[in-house]
Short mmCIF file of all heavy atoms in Angstrom, two decimals:
data_model
loop_
_atom_site.label_atom_id
_atom_site.label_comp_id
_atom_site.label_asym_id
_atom_site.label_seq_id
_atom_site.Cartn_x
_atom_site.Cartn_y
_atom_site.Cartn_z
N PHE A 99 -18.58 45.21 -17.42
CA PHE A 99 -19.35 46.45 -17.21
C PHE A 99 -18.81 47.58 -18.08
O PHE A 99 -19.57 48.36 -18.65
CB PHE A 99 -19.30 46.84 -15.73
CG PHE A 99 -19.74 48.26 -15.48
CD1 PHE A 99 -21.08 48.60 -15.59
CD2 PHE A 99 -18.82 49.25 -15.16
CE1 PHE A 99 -21.50 49.91 -15.38
CE2 PHE A 99 -19.23 50.56 -14.95
CZ PHE A 99 -20.57 50.90 -15.07
N HIS A 120 -12.04 53.91 -15.22
CA HIS A 120 -13.09 53.38 -14.35
C HIS A 120 -12.53 53.07 -12.96
O HIS A 120 -13.08 53.51 -11.94
CB HIS A 120 -13.72 52.14 -15.00
CG HIS A 120 -14.75 51.49 -14.15
ND1 HIS A 120 -14.58 50.27 -13.56
CD2 HIS A 120 -15.97 51.93 -13.76
CE1 HIS A 120 -15.65 49.97 -12.85
NE2 HIS A 120 -16.51 50.96 -12.96
N ILE A 123 -11.77 56.30 -11.07
CA ILE A 123 -12.93 56.97 -10.44
C ILE A 123 -13.20 56.34 -9.08
O ILE A 123 -13.47 57.03 -8.09
CB ILE A 123 -14.18 56.87 -11.35
CG1 ILE A 123 -13.97 57.68 -12.63
CG2 ILE A 123 -15.43 57.34 -10.62
CD1 ILE A 123 -15.03 57.48 -13.69
N HIS A 124 -13.09 55.02 -9.03
CA HIS A 124 -13.36 54.34 -7.76
C HIS A 124 -12.26 54.62 -6.73
O HIS A 124 -12.56 54.83 -5.56
CB HIS A 124 -13.59 52.85 -7.99
CG HIS A 124 -14.96 52.58 -8.55
ND1 HIS A 124 -16.02 52.18 -7.78
CD2 HIS A 124 -15.45 52.73 -9.80
CE1 HIS A 124 -17.10 52.07 -8.53
NE2 HIS A 124 -16.78 52.40 -9.79
N LEU A 131 -14.23 60.55 -1.04
CA LEU A 131 -15.67 60.60 -0.73
C LEU A 131 -16.02 59.65 0.42
O LEU A 131 -17.18 59.34 0.65
CB LEU A 131 -16.51 60.24 -1.96
CG LEU A 131 -16.29 61.06 -3.23
CD1 LEU A 131 -17.25 60.61 -4.33
CD2 LEU A 131 -16.48 62.56 -2.97
N LEU A 185 -18.41 70.38 -4.88
CA LEU A 185 -17.50 69.51 -5.63
C LEU A 185 -16.77 70.23 -6.76
O LEU A 185 -15.62 69.94 -7.06
CB LEU A 185 -18.27 68.33 -6.23
CG LEU A 185 -18.84 67.34 -5.21
CD1 LEU A 185 -19.75 66.33 -5.89
CD2 LEU A 185 -17.72 66.61 -4.48
N TRP A 254 -11.54 65.50 -4.77
CA TRP A 254 -12.05 64.37 -5.59
C TRP A 254 -11.86 64.66 -7.08
O TRP A 254 -11.27 63.88 -7.82
CB TRP A 254 -13.53 64.17 -5.24
CG TRP A 254 -14.24 63.09 -5.99
CD1 TRP A 254 -13.94 61.76 -5.98
CD2 TRP A 254 -15.40 63.24 -6.82
NE1 TRP A 254 -14.85 61.07 -6.75
CE2 TRP A 254 -15.75 61.95 -7.28
CE3 TRP A 254 -16.19 64.33 -7.22
CZ2 TRP A 254 -16.85 61.72 -8.12
CZ3 TRP A 254 -17.28 64.10 -8.05
CH2 TRP A 254 -17.60 62.82 -8.49
N MET A 279 -19.32 63.75 -14.62
CA MET A 279 -19.28 63.70 -13.16
C MET A 279 -20.38 64.57 -12.54
O MET A 279 -20.94 64.24 -11.50
CB MET A 279 -17.91 64.14 -12.64
CG MET A 279 -16.84 63.11 -12.86
SD MET A 279 -17.27 61.53 -12.06
CE MET A 279 -17.13 60.42 -13.43
N ALA A 282 -23.44 62.39 -12.80
CA ALA A 282 -23.43 61.26 -11.85
C ALA A 282 -23.65 61.77 -10.43
O ALA A 282 -24.36 61.15 -9.64
CB ALA A 282 -22.11 60.51 -11.94
N SER A 283 -23.06 62.91 -10.11
CA SER A 283 -23.11 63.35 -8.70
C SER A 283 -24.37 64.14 -8.36
O SER A 283 -24.72 64.24 -7.19
CB SER A 283 -21.86 64.17 -8.35
OG SER A 283 -21.76 65.31 -9.17
N ASN A 286 -29.32 62.44 -8.77
CA ASN A 286 -30.17 61.59 -7.92
C ASN A 286 -30.43 62.12 -6.52
O ASN A 286 -31.43 61.76 -5.90
CB ASN A 286 -29.51 60.21 -7.76
CG ASN A 286 -29.50 59.44 -9.07
OD1 ASN A 286 -30.54 59.15 -9.65
ND2 ASN A 286 -28.31 59.15 -9.57
N THR A 287 -29.51 62.95 -6.01
CA THR A 287 -29.66 63.36 -4.60
C THR A 287 -30.90 64.25 -4.41
O THR A 287 -31.62 64.10 -3.42
CB THR A 287 -28.41 64.12 -4.12
OG1 THR A 287 -28.02 65.05 -5.13
CG2 THR A 287 -27.26 63.18 -3.85
N THR A 290 -34.14 62.13 -4.67
CA THR A 290 -34.29 61.25 -3.49
C THR A 290 -34.71 62.07 -2.27
O THR A 290 -35.59 61.66 -1.50
CB THR A 290 -32.95 60.52 -3.18
OG1 THR A 290 -32.50 59.87 -4.36
CG2 THR A 290 -33.11 59.51 -2.07
N PRO A 354 -32.25 51.48 -10.32
CA PRO A 354 -31.17 51.35 -11.30
C PRO A 354 -31.29 50.06 -12.12
O PRO A 354 -31.95 49.12 -11.70
CB PRO A 354 -29.92 51.27 -10.42
CG PRO A 354 -30.39 50.67 -9.14
CD PRO A 354 -31.80 51.15 -8.94
N PRO A 432 -30.10 50.24 -4.22
CA PRO A 432 -30.25 51.55 -4.87
C PRO A 432 -28.97 52.04 -5.51
O PRO A 432 -28.99 52.88 -6.41
CB PRO A 432 -30.67 52.47 -3.72
CG PRO A 432 -30.12 51.82 -2.49
CD PRO A 432 -30.20 50.34 -2.75
N TRP A 433 -27.83 51.53 -5.03
CA TRP A 433 -26.53 52.03 -5.50
C TRP A 433 -25.91 51.11 -6.54
O TRP A 433 -24.74 51.26 -6.88
CB TRP A 433 -25.55 52.15 -4.32
CG TRP A 433 -26.12 52.77 -3.10
CD1 TRP A 433 -26.50 52.14 -1.97
CD2 TRP A 433 -26.39 54.17 -2.90
NE1 TRP A 433 -27.00 53.05 -1.06
CE2 TRP A 433 -26.95 54.31 -1.61
CE3 TRP A 433 -26.23 55.32 -3.68
CZ2 TRP A 433 -27.34 55.53 -1.08
CZ3 TRP A 433 -26.62 56.54 -3.15
CH2 TRP A 433 -27.17 56.65 -1.88
N GLY A 434 -26.69 50.15 -7.05
CA GLY A 434 -26.09 49.15 -7.92
C GLY A 434 -25.29 48.19 -7.04
O GLY A 434 -25.46 48.17 -5.81
N VAL A 437 -18.82 45.66 -9.44
CA VAL A 437 -17.81 46.60 -9.96
C VAL A 437 -18.37 47.99 -10.24
O VAL A 437 -17.63 48.97 -10.27
CB VAL A 437 -17.16 46.11 -11.28
CG1 VAL A 437 -16.18 45.00 -11.02
CG2 VAL A 437 -18.20 45.70 -12.31
N SER A 438 -19.69 48.08 -10.47
CA SER A 438 -20.23 49.40 -10.84
C SER A 438 -20.97 50.07 -9.68
O SER A 438 -21.72 51.01 -9.90
CB SER A 438 -21.17 49.25 -12.04
OG SER A 438 -22.27 48.45 -11.68
N CYS A 440 -22.16 52.47 -6.88
CA CYS A 440 -21.98 53.93 -6.85
C CYS A 440 -20.84 54.30 -5.89
O CYS A 440 -20.93 54.04 -4.68
CB CYS A 440 -23.27 54.59 -6.37
SG CYS A 440 -23.05 56.35 -6.10
N PRO A 441 -19.79 54.93 -6.39
CA PRO A 441 -18.68 55.29 -5.50
C PRO A 441 -18.98 56.52 -4.66
O PRO A 441 -18.21 56.85 -3.76
CB PRO A 441 -17.53 55.56 -6.48
CG PRO A 441 -18.19 55.98 -7.75
CD PRO A 441 -19.52 55.30 -7.79
N GLY A 442 -20.11 57.20 -4.94
CA GLY A 442 -20.43 58.42 -4.19
C GLY A 442 -21.49 58.19 -3.14
O GLY A 442 -22.04 59.16 -2.58
N LEU A 445 -21.12 59.92 0.37
CA LEU A 445 -21.34 61.36 0.30
C LEU A 445 -22.83 61.66 0.04
O LEU A 445 -23.42 62.56 0.64
CB LEU A 445 -20.50 61.98 -0.83
CG LEU A 445 -20.81 63.45 -1.10
CD1 LEU A 445 -20.40 64.32 0.09
CD2 LEU A 445 -20.12 63.95 -2.37
N ALA A 446 -23.42 60.88 -0.87
CA ALA A 446 -24.83 61.11 -1.21
C ALA A 446 -25.69 61.03 0.04
O ALA A 446 -26.51 61.92 0.31
CB ALA A 446 -25.30 60.07 -2.23
N GLU A 449 -25.06 64.05 2.42
CA GLU A 449 -25.61 65.35 2.04
C GLU A 449 -27.13 65.36 2.10
O GLU A 449 -27.73 66.35 2.52
CB GLU A 449 -25.09 65.82 0.66
CG GLU A 449 -25.36 64.90 -0.49
CD GLU A 449 -24.88 65.50 -1.83
OE1 GLU A 449 -25.34 66.57 -2.23
OE2 GLU A 449 -24.04 64.85 -2.46
N MET A 450 -27.74 64.23 1.75
CA MET A 450 -29.21 64.19 1.83
C MET A 450 -29.66 64.24 3.29
O MET A 450 -30.63 64.92 3.63
CB MET A 450 -29.72 62.92 1.14
CG MET A 450 -29.43 62.90 -0.35
SD MET A 450 -30.23 61.55 -1.25
CE MET A 450 -29.49 60.10 -0.54
N THR A 484 -32.66 57.25 -9.39
CA THR A 484 -33.85 57.64 -8.63
C THR A 484 -34.93 58.16 -9.58
O THR A 484 -34.65 58.95 -10.48
CB THR A 484 -33.51 58.74 -7.61
OG1 THR A 484 -32.50 58.25 -6.74
CG2 THR A 484 -34.72 59.11 -6.76
C1 HEM B 601 -29.18 59.31 -4.17
C2 HEM B 601 -28.05 59.51 -4.79
C3 HEM B 601 -27.38 58.54 -5.72
C4 HEM B 601 -27.84 57.36 -6.24
C5 HEM B 601 -29.20 56.69 -6.03
C6 HEM B 601 -26.78 56.84 -7.08
C7 HEM B 601 -26.85 55.64 -7.78
C8 HEM B 601 -25.86 55.17 -8.61
C9 HEM B 601 -25.90 53.91 -9.31
C10 HEM B 601 -27.04 52.92 -9.26
C11 HEM B 601 -24.75 53.80 -10.02
C12 HEM B 601 -24.30 52.60 -10.84
C13 HEM B 601 -24.79 52.65 -12.23
C14 HEM B 601 -24.40 51.41 -13.01
O1 HEM B 601 -24.33 50.29 -12.48
O2 HEM B 601 -24.19 51.58 -14.20
C15 HEM B 601 -23.99 54.99 -9.78
C16 HEM B 601 -22.77 55.26 -10.37
C17 HEM B 601 -22.00 56.35 -10.08
N1 HEM B 601 -22.26 57.30 -9.11
FE1 HEM B 601 -23.90 57.41 -7.97
N2 HEM B 601 -25.71 57.70 -7.03
C18 HEM B 601 -26.03 58.74 -6.20
C19 HEM B 601 -25.22 59.82 -5.87
C20 HEM B 601 -23.92 59.98 -6.28
C21 HEM B 601 -23.02 61.01 -5.83
C22 HEM B 601 -23.36 62.10 -4.80
C23 HEM B 601 -21.85 60.85 -6.51
C24 HEM B 601 -20.55 61.61 -6.43
C25 HEM B 601 -20.27 62.58 -5.64
C26 HEM B 601 -22.00 59.71 -7.38
C27 HEM B 601 -21.05 59.27 -8.26
C28 HEM B 601 -21.21 58.19 -9.11
C29 HEM B 601 -20.24 57.81 -10.12
C30 HEM B 601 -18.94 58.55 -10.44
C31 HEM B 601 -20.75 56.66 -10.75
C32 HEM B 601 -20.10 55.88 -11.89
C33 HEM B 601 -19.28 54.76 -11.30
C34 HEM B 601 -18.65 53.82 -12.30
O3 HEM B 601 -18.41 54.22 -13.43
O4 HEM B 601 -18.40 52.66 -11.90
N3 HEM B 601 -23.27 59.20 -7.20
N4 HEM B 601 -24.65 55.80 -8.90
#
Side-chain angles (χ1 to χ4, degrees):
F99 165 72
H120 177 249
I123 293 171
H124 283 261
L131 304 183
L185 293 172
W254 179 61
M279 286 302 126
S283 60
N286 292 299
T287 44
T290 307
W433 315 104
V437 285
S438 63
C440 172
L445 172 67
E449 58 176 301
M450 295 189 296
T484 302

